[in-house]
Amino acid sequence: MIYFKAFLVGGAICLLGQLLMDLTSHKITPAHILVGFVSGGALLSALGVYQPLVNWAGAGATVPLPGFGHALAQGAIKAVQSKGLLGAFAGGLQAAAVGLTAAIVFGYLIAALFNPRGD
């Protein structure tokens, strides 16, 4: 059942982004979606709304872009509680370091293996 929940929530987040790009009169680009979803995830996390969704949907809520914002916000909040205000600057990156490192390493490996073209 957890796979179904993850599929539902992750798919709904992706569907929302696609609908925003396709159906709005303004020209919303993938960059707008990236910034909006990460910021939205951080805001929802700070308000305490995103964690129940993570608890219910698991990877369906943590893998998409709002999950990255949630991880940054939670890391900053925990670092502020333990290190004071200066912890806000490092806490988010410490919380997301594993995911960022994995993205860089796997992105490099895929690029090296499949020789992407620049055109």
Side-chain angles (χ1 to χ4, degrees):
M1 190 65 172
I2 188 68
Y3 297 117
F4 181 69
K5 291 178 189 179
F7 176 77
L8 266 173
V9 171
I13 291 170
C14 294
L15 177 65
L16 176 63
Q18 192 65 49
L19 289 174
L20 285 171
M21 288 190 293
D22 291 347
L23 300 177
T24 55
S25 60
H26 298 87
K27 186 62 182 163
I28 295 180
T29 66
H32 293 113
I33 299 296
L34 175 110
V35 172
F37 277 19
V38 172
S39 300
L43 179 65
L44 291 174
S45 178
L47 295 174
V49 176
Y50 205 77
Q51 188 60 47
L53 184 64
V54 169
N55 294 341
W56 187 78
T62 58
V63 172
L65 291 170
F68 181 65
H70 171 67
L72 290 174
Q74 289 303 306
I77 290 168
K78 287 178 184 168
V80 166
Q81 291 170 346
S82 65
K83 299 177 185 172
L85 186 58
L86 289 178
F89 297 106
L93 291 176
Q94 287 174 343
V98 173
L100 290 171
T101 303
I104 291 167
V105 168
F106 290 123
Y108 176 78
L109 289 174
I110 295 299
L113 290 173
F114 292 102
N115 192 16
R117 297 183 306 180
D119 34 277

